[in-house]
Amino acid sequence: MMKNQKLFWVNLIISFFLISCGGSDVSDPVSKPYPTPTPEPNPSVTIPETESPQAQGATYWWNEAVFYEIFVRSFYDSDGDGIGDINGIREKLDYLQNDLGATALWLMPINPSPSYHGYDVTDYKAINPDYGTMQDFRSLVQELHSRGMKIVIDYVINHTSDQHPWFQSAYNDKKSTYRDWYIFVNPKPTYTGSWGQGVWHGEAPNYYYGVFSYVMPDLNYNTQAVKDEIKETSTYWLTEVGVDGFRLDAAKHLIEEGEIQDNTDATLTYWKEFTANMKSDKNDAITIAEVIDGSQVIVKYINNGIDLGFEFDLAGTILNAVKKNSPQALKSKLAEIRDLYPYHQYATFLSNHDQDRSYETMGKSIANSKLAASILLTLPGTPFIYYGEEIGMWGTKAGGDEYIRTPLHWTSDATTAGFTTGTPWWSIIGDQETKNVATQKEEDTSLLNTYAQLIALRKSHPQFTKGTFQTLGVSSASIYGYLREFKGKAVIVAHNFSNNEISSPKIYAKKTNLPEGTYKVKDFISGSYLENVKLNEDGGFLFQPIERIGKKETKVLLIEQ
Ligand SMILES: [Ca+2]
Ligand SMILES: [Ca+2]
């Protein structure tokens, strides 16, 4: 007792001393004052070259959009048959718009199809009866538009289903008017497709071409009637149903030139014609191409009328960089992309319905998932979020693609996850106790609320959507810092890729587009103002705005005069 009493008094005296001294020597790092900022480039410090400010370019509505990719079968079931449907999407629009903040939807195929995924269509102008009716879809489009949201549908026109009446007629009747809508040959050629797959299917004398599968015969775009039909179909969806554009499935496989089957000149020419027709139907309609290829190839499509292409290499690079705790590869990939594409004209994402879920790829780490989301939502380009990514759903393709397309977890319910009142079409994948919308909505620091916060930040600051991008110098190789600037307002984003906390990083730029002067610095997350930063006549600066950046943490600093 005596000893404890003595300790009490010692502590009290120390506490009093520290309080009266302003706590400057307290070992608790939380109360440590910020290091003395260096207000302007210090001549004694050699500042390494940093990237020059980017020039501003034209942007479009989709540059301000945040897209959400929906597999309708797995999103939400409105009628208890265990299959997600169009009315289910309508019921969840408050979640998408208000809780998450998405502004546009991409629906995976909604046309009738014999497969569960729908990437083999049997009627291009109808709705899959599993998902509802055309009236349901029209109501969804109407409601989205009344909310100021956009909708894009998957347009799967490289091939049809082998069950499509066109193909049935063409295969069974050599004299069919649909015979030249497909590619029939006899004898069977010996060459294979670009990944070694067999591309010739059927039996003599009806060998036919199908780049993906015998159940997906390719349409023959050397036949004018096919082009006319597909053009008329796109006009129907744009002008009569009112969709805002198309995600173009398998865009690089459209027209073969003999054994050259991918990315042919004829394919590029076709898209140029297709997009021109589309814009004459609806001038702000968007096309987003799925070209699974390198950036150098994707950009050819952008230069031939397509609005956006999914940046597959960038997606992989973001996930790898986060997993490997180093931003270096991401820095060079982003520099390449910015040089290659028209200003900001690319679609960014982490993973889609054809890839292992991003949470899985990054080692099932919520910290990694938050960092990846922070990168995705602060970069230029148009971000796409794959349903379930925002709550950390897992799943790999190893057992089949169904495992990356399982029902979305709305609640923690063990058998339905709140997806249906019936039996879900595919089992709940698990982890729904915490990886569900209802639970994560209630937790301020959940992955869902991290997405929501970043989306809100992006939408309220045009620096992110329309602003320039400039890599900053940072005193640690584990931190990736960049400046996004628009009309004299800027944001500094700093991501710590390492698994260690980093103290007092220096952040600098030799030159920026910002005018000389003193700027306020606000930490977006905490809402508090830090020390001001002074910019020299070149807009250059060197400062130490933050005392520390936690492991895998992102700091967002708003810089305003
Ligand atoms: Ca249903
Ligand atoms: Ca083709």
Side-chain angles (χ1 to χ4, degrees), residues 43 62 67 71 73 184 195 267 274 320 328 388 505 518 551:
W62 47 82
F67 272 87
F71 180 39
R73 188 172 298 274
F184 287 101
W195 57 93
T267 295
F274 176 89
N320 265 329
Q328 303 315 321
T518 302
K551 56 182 182 180

Side-chain angles (χ1 to χ4, degrees), residues 259-316:
E259 292 187 33
I260 306 167
Q261 298 160 71
D262 305 343
N263 303 312
T264 60
D265 289 344
T267 295
L268 289 167
T269 304
Y270 173 80
W271 287 125
K272 199 167 190 173
E273 197 181 300
F274 176 89
T275 50
N277 279 323
M278 236 185 95
K279 303 276 174 176
S280 71
D281 286 335
K282 194 171 194 174
N283 62 11
D284 66 345
I286 184 177
T287 47
I288 311 132
E290 181 211 28
V291 175
I292 304 179
D293 219 316
S295 312
Q296 306 274 353
V297 176
I298 299 169
V299 76
K300 291 183 192 171
Y301 289 78
I302 310 308
N303 294 333
N304 278 279
I306 301 280
D307 296 308
L308 297 177
F310 291 104
E311 240 308 324
F312 284 90
D313 283 355
L314 176 61

Side-chain angles (χ1 to χ4, degrees), residues 124 155-159 166 181 219-235 246 248-257 263-279 281 287 289 300-301 303-306:
Y124 285 103
Y155 207 40
V156 189
I157 59 167
N158 171 67
H159 50 266
W166 301 339
W181 284 39
L219 282 165
N220 182 1
Y221 281 85
N222 290 313
T223 297
Q224 188 59 40
V226 171
K227 290 187 183 177
D228 292 346
E229 175 72 24
I230 294 301
K231 178 184 158 190
E232 205 244 307
T233 304
S234 71
T235 300
F246 302 110
L248 304 171
D249 183 64
K252 76 174 193 179
H253 297 290
L254 220 66
I255 307 179
E256 302 73 30
E257 292 176 351
N263 303 312
T264 60
D265 289 344
T267 295
L268 289 167
T269 304
Y270 173 80
W271 287 125
K272 199 167 190 173
E273 197 181 300
F274 176 89
T275 50
N277 279 323
M278 236 185 95
K279 303 276 174 176
D281 286 335
T287 47
K300 291 183 192 171
Y301 289 78
N303 294 333
N304 278 279
I306 301 280

Side-chain angles (χ1 to χ4, degrees), residues 72-73 76-88 129-132 419-420:
V72 181
R73 188 172 298 274
Y76 185 66
D77 173 25
S78 70
D79 58 7
D81 68 355
I83 298 172
D85 45 53
I86 286 160
N87 287 339
D130 283 356
Y131 295 169
F419 159 75
T420 177

Side-chain angles (χ1 to χ4, degrees), residues 87-333:
N87 287 339
I89 299 171
R90 244 180 100 195
E91 283 184 34
K92 295 295 186 182
L93 289 183
D94 279 344
Y95 167 70
L96 292 168
Q97 184 172 39
N98 304 333
D99 296 335
L100 184 62
T103 67
L105 304 182
W106 154 26
L107 303 194
M108 285 164 61
I110 56 171
N111 305 121
S113 164
S115 68
Y116 82 91
H117 50 71
Y119 281 100
D120 43 349
V121 171
T122 53
D123 183 348
Y124 285 103
K125 288 187 185 166
I127 299 288
N128 187 331
D130 283 356
Y131 295 169
T133 65
M134 186 57 85
Q135 191 47 51
D136 295 339
F137 186 71
R138 285 177 186 270
S139 302
L140 174 66
V141 172
Q142 200 173 21
E143 170 132 18
L144 283 164
H145 288 167
S146 73
R147 287 167 178 257
M149 294 175 76
K150 304 269 192 185
I151 180 165
V152 163
I153 57 171
D154 232 307
Y155 207 40
V156 189
I157 59 167
N158 171 67
H159 50 266
T160 68
S161 163
D162 65 346
Q163 304 302 308
H164 196 297
W166 301 339
F167 185 73
Q168 286 294 309
S169 170
Y171 190 81
N172 294 318
D173 176 8
K174 271 188 171 179
K175 296 202 174 85
S176 162
T177 49
Y178 296 107
R179 183 73 178 181
D180 64 357
W181 284 39
Y182 295 88
I183 304 154
F184 287 101
V185 291
N186 193 27
K188 185 178 180 176
T190 52
Y191 64 85
T192 59
S194 56
W195 57 93
Q197 82 281 23
V199 292
W200 296 102
H201 313 284
E203 289 171 2
N206 289 321
Y207 295 116
Y208 63 92
Y209 182 82
V211 69
F212 294 109
S213 161
Y214 73 95
V215 297
M216 298 176 174
D218 277 42
L219 282 165
N220 182 1
Y221 281 85
N222 290 313
T223 297
Q224 188 59 40
V226 171
K227 290 187 183 177
D228 292 346
E229 175 72 24
I230 294 301
K231 178 184 158 190
E232 205 244 307
T233 304
S234 71
T235 300
Y236 168 76
W237 285 102
L238 291 168
T239 62
E240 289 187 45
V241 185
V243 302
D244 300 294
F246 302 110
R247 178 264 184 187
L248 304 171
D249 183 64
K252 76 174 193 179
H253 297 290
L254 220 66
I255 307 179
E256 302 73 30
E257 292 176 351
E259 292 187 33
I260 306 167
Q261 298 160 71
D262 305 343
N263 303 312
T264 60
D265 289 344
T267 295
L268 289 167
T269 304
Y270 173 80
W271 287 125
K272 199 167 190 173
E273 197 181 300
F274 176 89
T275 50
N277 279 323
M278 236 185 95
K279 303 276 174 176
S280 71
D281 286 335
K282 194 171 194 174
N283 62 11
D284 66 345
I286 184 177
T287 47
I288 311 132
E290 181 211 28
V291 175
I292 304 179
D293 219 316
S295 312
Q296 306 274 353
V297 176
I298 299 169
V299 76
K300 291 183 192 171
Y301 289 78
I302 310 308
N303 294 333
N304 278 279
I306 301 280
D307 296 308
L308 297 177
F310 291 104
E311 240 308 324
F312 284 90
D313 283 355
L314 176 61
T317 308
I318 293 172
L319 298 183
N320 265 329
V322 170
K323 195 180 177 187
K324 291 180 176 169
N325 313 318
S326 167
Q328 303 315 321
L330 178 58
K331 280 187 193 177
S332 40
K333 187 69 209 173

